[in-house]
Amino acid sequence: MEIFYDQNKNLVKLSFKKNEWMQEAMHVLVICQYKNQWLLTAHKKRGLEFPGGKREKNETIIQTAHREVMEETGGIIDRLQWIASYQVFGEEPFVKDVFFARISQLVPKDDYQETAGPVLIKGDLMEIRLDDSFSFIMKDDVIKYCISSIQNELLSERKG
């Protein structure tokens, strides 16, 4: 388990073990790749970030991941893998599940909800995510630890 403070000075606990928390995840963060590039969305207020959002009534967390990726990027998920979950102890504490998604297709849309649509990024996201054009969400340690976990898994896949 990793414990740290986010950009808003809230205590965050990140776990790579399923069902670590008593509280059910009501939010998702979906780290996406499309054709060996990172797929982000341009949030109109916060800046560049991975798609994600709140779970709707009568929706599973998996359905939430698929819906949020489609709404914010037009991405169709080919493969979805749970990576971690984390608790944020802010004004209203919450749990968010983090997924890694391989995107098979980007469908152009007229409306990307609260975002300006998909943004593809090649290269080392770990360095450029600290730029001012990126959302505060991209700058905290959740992204650092989850991207590291994904990269380690991708290396294992290539070797295996």
Side-chain angles (χ1 to χ4, degrees):
M1 181 180 308
E2 304 293 344
I3 300 172
F4 52 90
Y5 289 89
D6 67 12
Q7 295 284 315
N8 297 319
K9 298 185 177 24
N10 295 314
L11 177 66
V12 177
K13 293 182 178 180
L14 172 71
S15 176
F16 292 92
K17 275 178 40 182
K18 275 202 172 204
N19 305 315
E20 180 78 30
W21 322 117
M22 296 293 289
Q23 186 180 3
E24 189 176 8
M26 296 304 291
H27 299 79
V28 296
L29 173 67
V30 187
I31 298 172
C32 300
Q33 274 197 339
Y34 175 68
K35 295 185 176 181
N36 294 318
Q37 297 176 77
W38 298 108
L39 172 62
L40 289 85
T41 188
H43 191 279
K44 292 176 182 173
K45 292 181 182 173
R46 295 189 298 255
L48 298 174
E49 62 188 26
F50 287 113
K54 293 180 185 173
R55 187 173 170 181
E56 293 180 356
K57 188 177 180 179
N58 299 321
E59 185 177 58
T60 68
I61 205 72
I62 301 293
Q63 291 168 329
T64 304
H66 282 269
R67 178 183 50 77
E68 289 290 347
V69 169
M70 173 52 78
E71 284 179 358
E72 296 181 3
T73 69
I76 296 174
I77 295 175
D78 181 46
R79 187 175 127 215
L80 184 69
Q81 178 182 349
W82 183 89
I83 298 295
S85 66
Y86 64 99
Q87 283 186 309
V88 177
F89 297 89
E91 254 179 60
E92 293 181 34
F94 64 90
V95 173
K96 188 179 284 195
D97 276 347
V98 182
F99 292 92
F100 175 55
R102 295 218 190 240
I103 306 301
S104 62
Q105 182 180 358
L106 290 179
V107 177
K109 296 173 51 169
D110 292 332
D111 179 20
Y112 292 95
Q113 305 294 327
E114 67 273 7
T115 79
V119 175
L120 292 168
I121 295 180
K122 262 190 168 175
D124 188 1
L125 187 62
M126 297 304 282
E127 285 185 30
I128 62 173
R129 72 186 175 94
L130 302 176
D131 184 85
D132 288 342
S133 62
F134 286 82
S135 163
F136 72 92
I137 295 167
M138 297 295 290
K139 295 176 172 112
D140 79 27
D141 286 350
V142 167
I143 297 295
K144 178 177 84 172
Y145 290 121
C146 288
I147 294 280
S148 177
S149 174
I150 290 165
Q151 288 174 330
N152 288 339
E153 188 167 316
L154 291 174
L155 280 175
S156 294
E157 283 178 11
R158 287 184 194 129
K159 290 178 182 176

